[in-house]
Amino acid sequence: MKSLIRWSATLGLVGSTLLTSWFGHLPKALALPEADVLKVLQIPVFTITTAEGGPLIATLADNQKVTQVFMSQQDADAFLGKLKEAQPDLAKQVKVQPVSLGQVYQLAIASSKEPEQLKFAYIPMQSAVDSAKKVLSESGQQYEGGVPLFILRGGPEQAMLTIQQNNQEVIPFFFEKAQIQAIVDRLKKEQPELAATMKIEVIPLENLIAALHQKDDAMLKQIQLIPSQETIQFIQQSTQSQSGQSQPSSPKQ
């Protein structure tokens, strides 16, 4: 653990410049190269799509068009289940579709240039929201919406946790508090003095996306999103399924 964990003091992702909602407010100029943004956002999320592959769109009272992006496949499935009860004919025409968060980002960028902009409602896991509320309340803050991401700070400078991976240092942003709590618990045993300085913080995913879009900061490229355990299992199952499909079939006797 000692050789894997580092602390980054130079990436100010929780500054006041991040406290603006990305939802529907994209600037025209792209600061960080799109390829770098997509690399950070290469995790699966779940949408409801039509037979043609387009997103299921809801039109609000003010004629604003909105589509939902679920962080949890189970939540997306639950939404589809409710849709089958409320609008069975419509439900027959749609399905849950995994896409990368990067693809959603690209669609949002393209939509921002259209006269009738499509907005994206990011739906967090309730368990993550509950954890975020608890973390924020302990520091006198309130949860104000969005998809919570959990980071870890520690050391004399309250620097951000970094992890050595493939000879590179990455800055992990976790979708679940339990994942980062496991690191804290391990450090309490191995480095109790350091553990005493540690603090879990919450950053909305929407604010992170805004930073990726607006800031030309090389440190942003080091961020790695750590999916929930549910999504990790989905990735593993998808990988196994693809591996099985790629295997040549045995010749018939």
Side-chain angles (χ1 to χ4, degrees), residues 62-114:
D62 59 356
N63 290 323
Q64 175 62 60
K65 299 184 184 301
V66 178
T67 187
Q68 297 184 99
V69 180
F70 297 87
M71 301 302 109
S72 162
Q73 184 183 27
Q74 292 180 6
D75 289 346
D77 289 340
F79 174 85
L80 185 55
K82 293 179 181 178
L83 189 65
K84 289 178 179 179
E85 296 178 1
Q87 297 178 268
D89 290 339
L90 175 60
K92 292 178 182 178
Q93 304 174 44
V94 298
K95 64 178 181 179
V96 174
Q97 179 68 38
V99 297
S100 78
L101 185 56
Q103 288 175 292
V104 175
Y105 171 83
Q106 287 179 308
L107 185 58
I109 294 293
S111 176
S112 69
K113 302 173 184 177
E114 299 295 330

Side-chain angles (χ1 to χ4, degrees), residues 6-13 40 150-153 159-165 168-174 203 208 217-226:
R6 301 288 186 276
W7 301 90
S8 171
T10 58
L11 184 59
L13 281 177
V40 174
F150 302 90
I151 65 168
L152 186 62
R153 289 186 179 274
M160 294 178 66
L161 168 73
T162 68
I163 296 177
Q164 193 77 16
Q165 187 177 84
Q168 294 183 333
E169 286 191 349
V170 300
I171 304 171
F173 280 52
F174 297 85
I203 295 176
L208 172 60
D217 188 339
M219 291 294 289
L220 290 167
K221 301 176 185 179
Q222 290 182 255
I223 293 173
Q224 183 175 74
L225 295 177
I226 310 298

